[in-house]
Amino acid sequence: MNSGALDQVFGPGQRRELQALLDEVEPPCSAESLRSCPEWLREARVVVTGWGGPRFDEDLLAHAPELEVVLHAAGSIRPIVSDAFWDRGIRISSAAAANATPVAEFCLAQIFMLMKNFYAVQRMYHDARAKPPSLRLGLSPGAYRQRVGLVSFGQIARQLREMLRPHELEVVVYDPYLDEHQAREAEVVRVSLEEVFATSQVVSIHTPSVPETHGLIHKQLILSLPEHAGLLNTARGAVVDELGIIQALHDRPDLTAVLDVTEPEPPLRSSPLWTMPNVVLTPHIAGSIGVECRRLGQQVIDELRRFNRGLPLQHAVTRESARLMA
């Protein structure tokens, strides 16, 4: 892992739990130190990785003939797997589900803030030093029986849907991989991407960044949002056409966009996103921060227990499922 990531992900008690489940524990190392001393992998059956973990390419795997499973204490496995890894049949577990929880919590909070039109109202109140006269006349749509639109329905969106369940809201989803049976089970309505934007008071984006999704969210979709609607992106900046969103939000000052991710990240210093009054930028904080990171470590410990007992990994990722993940 990166320097410091081990203590961030595993608290003292968790470190003791982890060590008790292993026959031998090599000193913590970074990807760079492992490359310089790959013989540490010679007898390893289990490798625990995290942010900044090594890429298991053909060269590194040549030093790990006994490797059976990688337990990744982070979300995306893209940086660490390779074709050689999959070809060897090594199993891998991702803590994406654990990392999804704080993102879903962040989205839940922002959805209600956006439905109250919090950011626009706060700005008006601050500037006028007086209560906006039209506050109860449509400026703030409110959150009663409104429609929330989710773009893609992976780990985060599914957790978010459960968090939204106690509230009187309708949830619609655009996801080409979601079938009608799955939609009924989750109690969501499958609709087109165009309908998500045209009919939702808040649209929350959860789409992984793959070549097919780059620029998926474009200017015309944003312009089709209802009056005083909100757009929330905690997925990846590349799925939104940045020039298109800038133009659309300039043309529709009634809209508000909360962008926790951008492309590039952070935006260029010259980007209008920094100064647009209806854009709220946050520095990729929706995911695990602080003690939330310990949730990832706990999932790895739970997976290690399952491995030791000969049980299937609960959060296994396959070559096929990895294609649809962030």
Side-chain angles (χ1 to χ4, degrees):
M1 305 182 189
N2 287 332
S3 175
L6 187 67
D7 291 332
Q8 190 177 14
V9 172
F10 295 100
Q14 291 174 310
R15 289 280 291 274
R16 290 192 291 271
E17 279 189 84
L18 188 64
Q19 291 175 334
L21 292 167
L22 297 167
D23 295 326
E24 184 176 351
V25 181
E26 293 291 350
C29 62
S30 65
E32 293 74 22
S33 61
L34 183 61
R35 287 283 178 185
S36 65
C37 196
E39 57 268 21
W40 284 346
L41 292 174
R42 181 61 57 187
E43 297 180 0
R45 295 175 58 213
V46 177
V47 171
V48 175
T49 61
W51 291 303
R55 181 169 175 78
F56 289 91
D57 54 22
E58 194 169 358
D59 290 341
L60 190 60
L61 289 172
H63 296 278
E66 304 298 322
L67 184 58
E68 294 181 38
V69 63
V70 172
L71 303 178
H72 191 50
S76 176
I77 64 167
R78 288 180 185 273
I80 68 171
V81 296
S82 66
D83 287 338
F85 180 91
W86 297 120
D87 292 344
R88 271 271 302 271
I90 300 166
R91 287 177 286 168
I92 186 167
S93 171
S94 163
N99 196 45
T101 299
V103 183
E105 292 169 343
F106 180 90
C107 292
L108 179 69
Q110 293 300 325
I111 285 169
F112 283 95
M113 296 282 269
L114 287 166
M115 285 188 173
K116 286 285 191 179
N117 210 3
F118 169 85
Y119 298 104
V121 171
Q122 189 275 338
R123 191 171 62 249
M124 293 176 187
Y125 194 30
H126 181 272
D127 292 346
R129 305 293 197 272
K131 191 171 182 178
S134 58
L135 189 58
R136 298 189 184 277
L137 302 177
L139 178 63
S140 179
Y144 179 61
R145 295 188 176 179
Q146 293 281 16
R147 174 175 276 200
V148 176
L150 308 179
V151 182
S152 295
F153 203 56
Q155 297 258 22
I156 297 167
R158 289 173 186 274
Q159 288 198 35
L160 175 58
R161 196 278 167 271
E162 292 307 309
M163 293 177 185
L164 289 168
R165 193 175 294 281
H167 307 284
E168 293 185 85
L169 297 167
E170 181 186 19
V171 180
V172 297
V173 174
Y174 166 75
D175 189 324
Y177 300 98
L178 180 70
D179 62 36
E180 192 58 45
H181 173 71
Q182 294 169 326
R184 282 197 303 272
E185 280 195 329
E187 295 183 14
V188 298
V189 179
R190 287 193 311 158
V191 298
S192 67
L193 184 60
E194 291 73 18
E195 185 173 343
V196 165
F197 275 82
T199 64
S200 300
Q201 196 59 44
V202 176
V203 174
S204 187
I205 302 170
H206 303 280
T207 304
S209 178
V210 294
E212 308 92 84
T213 63
H214 289 180
L216 176 70
I217 311 303
H218 53 79
K219 177 181 177 181
Q220 293 307 315
L221 286 172
I222 298 166
L223 288 175
S224 72
L225 284 164
E227 191 175 10
H228 301 300
L231 177 69
L232 171 61
N233 189 12
T234 57
R236 289 292 184 267
V239 305
V240 176
D241 171 24
E242 183 172 307
L243 180 59
I245 193 173
I246 290 170
Q247 293 174 341
L249 293 171
H250 177 270
D251 293 347
R252 290 283 308 277
D254 63 297
L255 303 178
T256 300
V258 175
L259 307 178
D260 189 51
V261 289
T262 54
E263 182 64 32
E265 192 175 297
L268 297 175
R269 294 181 67 87
S270 59
S271 173
L273 291 174
W274 291 111
T275 55
M276 295 182 73
N278 54 342
V279 174
V280 178
L281 292 176
T282 53
H284 206 143
I285 60 168
S288 298
I289 58 175
V291 294
E292 294 170 342
C293 299
R294 302 284 167 85
R295 188 185 281 117
L296 282 66
Q298 191 59 50
Q299 183 175 301
V300 163
I301 291 169
D302 295 343
E303 288 286 67
L304 182 55
R305 285 201 180 95
R306 296 180 68 85
F307 174 77
N308 284 349
R309 294 170 184 165
L311 299 173
L313 299 175
Q314 193 169 11
H315 300 281
V317 180
T318 66
R319 180 181 243 164
E320 291 71 29
S321 64
R323 292 189 305 105
L324 304 179
M325 296 178 67

